[in-house]
Coordinates of all heavy atoms in Angstrom, one line a residue:
Chain G
F90 N -90.5 150.4 42.6 CA -90.7 150.4 44.0 C -89.9 151.5 44.6 O -88.5 151.5 44.3 CB -90.2 149.1 44.6 CG -91.3 147.9 44.2 CD1 -91.0 147.0 43.1 CD2 -92.4 147.6 44.9 CE1 -91.8 146.1 42.8 CE2 -93.2 146.6 44.6 CZ -93.0 145.8 43.6
Q106 N -95.8 150.2 47.9 CA -96.7 149.2 47.2 C -96.4 149.1 45.8 O -97.1 148.2 45.1 CB -98.2 149.7 47.4 CG -98.7 149.5 48.9 CD -98.6 148.0 49.3 OE1 -98.8 147.1 48.5 NE2 -98.2 147.9 50.5
Chain V
Y35 N -87.1 138.0 51.3 CA -88.4 138.9 51.1 C -89.4 138.0 50.6 O -89.1 137.1 49.7 CB -88.0 140.0 50.1 CG -87.1 141.0 50.7 CD1 -85.6 140.9 50.5 CD2 -87.5 142.1 51.5 CE1 -84.8 141.7 51.0 CE2 -86.5 143.0 51.9 CZ -85.2 142.9 51.7 OH -84.3 143.9 52.1
Q36 N -90.7 138.3 50.8 CA -91.7 137.7 50.3 C -92.7 138.7 49.5 O -92.8 139.8 49.9 CB -92.6 137.1 51.4 CG -94.0 136.4 50.9 CD -94.9 136.1 52.0 OE1 -95.4 137.1 52.7 NE2 -95.3 134.9 52.4
Q37 N -92.9 138.3 48.2 CA -93.8 139.2 47.5 C -95.1 138.4 47.2 O -95.2 137.5 46.4 CB -93.1 139.6 46.2 CG -93.9 140.6 45.3 CD -93.3 141.0 44.1 OE1 -92.4 140.4 43.4 NE2 -93.4 142.2 43.8
S38 N -96.2 139.0 47.7 CA -97.4 138.4 47.4 C -98.4 139.5 46.9 O -98.2 140.8 47.2 CB -98.2 137.7 48.6 OG -98.2 138.7 49.6
L39 N -99.6 139.3 46.3 CA -100.4 140.2 45.8 C -101.0 141.1 46.8 O -101.3 142.3 46.7 CB -101.7 139.5 44.9 CG -101.2 139.0 43.5 CD1 -102.3 138.3 42.9 CD2 -100.7 140.1 42.7
D40 N -101.4 140.5 48.0 CA -102.1 141.1 49.0 C -101.3 141.9 50.0 O -101.5 143.0 50.5 CB -103.0 140.4 49.8 CG -102.4 139.0 50.3 OD1 -101.3 138.8 49.9 OD2 -102.9 138.3 51.2
Q41 N -100.0 141.5 50.1 CA -99.1 142.1 51.2 C -97.9 142.9 50.4 O -97.2 143.7 51.2 CB -98.5 141.0 52.1 CG -99.5 140.2 52.9 CD -100.1 141.1 54.1 OE1 -99.5 142.0 54.5 NE2 -101.3 140.8 54.4
G42 N -97.8 142.7 49.1 CA -96.7 143.4 48.6 C -95.3 142.8 48.9 O -95.3 141.6 49.2
L43 N -94.3 143.5 48.9 CA -93.0 143.1 49.2 C -92.7 143.2 50.7 O -92.7 144.4 51.0 CB -91.9 143.8 48.3 CG -91.4 143.1 47.1 CD1 -90.8 144.0 46.1 CD2 -90.6 141.9 47.4
Q44 N -92.3 142.2 51.3 CA -92.2 142.3 52.7 C -90.8 141.6 53.2 O -90.5 140.5 52.7 CB -93.3 141.6 53.6 CG -94.6 142.3 53.5 CD -95.5 141.8 54.6 OE1 -95.5 142.4 55.7 NE2 -96.0 140.7 54.3
L83 N -102.5 127.7 51.9 CA -102.6 128.4 50.6 C -102.1 129.8 50.6 O -101.6 130.2 49.6 CB -104.1 128.4 50.3 CG -104.8 127.0 50.2 CD1 -106.3 127.3 49.9 CD2 -104.3 126.2 49.1
G84 N -102.2 130.5 51.6 CA -101.8 131.9 51.7 C -100.3 132.1 51.7 O -99.7 133.3 51.6
D85 N -99.5 131.0 51.7 CA -98.0 131.1 51.6 C -97.6 131.2 50.2 O -96.5 131.4 49.8 CB -97.4 130.0 52.3 CG -97.7 129.8 53.8 OD1 -97.8 130.9 54.4 OD2 -97.8 128.7 54.3
S86 N -98.6 131.0 49.3 CA -98.2 131.1 47.9 C -97.7 132.6 47.5 O -98.5 133.4 47.9 CB -99.3 130.8 47.0 OG -99.7 129.5 47.1
A87 N -96.5 132.5 47.1 CA -95.9 134.0 46.8 C -94.5 133.7 46.0 O -94.2 132.6 45.8 CB -95.6 134.6 48.2
L88 N -94.0 134.8 45.8 CA -92.7 134.8 45.2 C -91.7 135.2 46.3 O -91.8 136.1 47.0 CB -92.6 135.9 44.1 CG -91.4 136.1 43.1 CD1 -91.0 134.6 42.4 CD2 -91.7 137.1 42.1
Y89 N -90.7 134.4 46.6 CA -89.8 134.6 47.6 C -88.4 135.0 47.0 O -87.8 134.2 46.2 CB -89.6 133.2 48.5 CG -90.8 133.0 49.2 CD1 -91.9 132.4 48.7 CD2 -91.0 133.4 50.5 CE1 -93.0 132.1 49.4 CE2 -92.1 133.2 51.2 CZ -93.1 132.5 50.7 OH -94.4 132.4 51.3
F90 N -87.9 136.2 47.4 CA -86.6 136.7 46.8 C -85.6 136.6 48.0 O -85.8 136.8 49.1 CB -86.8 138.1 46.5 CG -87.5 138.4 45.2 CD1 -88.9 139.0 45.3 CD2 -87.0 138.1 44.0 CE1 -89.4 139.2 44.1 CE2 -87.6 138.3 42.8 CZ -88.9 138.9 42.8
R110 N -90.8 131.0 42.9 CA -92.2 131.1 42.9 C -92.9 129.8 43.5 O -92.8 128.7 43.0 CB -92.8 131.3 41.4 CG -94.3 131.7 41.5 CD -94.8 132.1 40.1 NE -94.1 133.2 39.5 CZ -94.6 134.5 39.8 NH1 -95.6 134.7 40.7 NH2 -93.9 135.6 39.4

Side-chain angles (χ1 to χ4, degrees):
Chain G
F90 293 94
Q106 289 300 324
Chain V
Y35 295 88
Q36 179 194 59
Q37 184 177 32
S38 62
L39 284 175
D40 54 346
Q41 298 290 330
L43 262 162
Q44 289 198 96
L83 297 178
D85 298 327
S86 296
L88 190 51
Y89 291 85
F90 286 110
R110 189 171 295 277

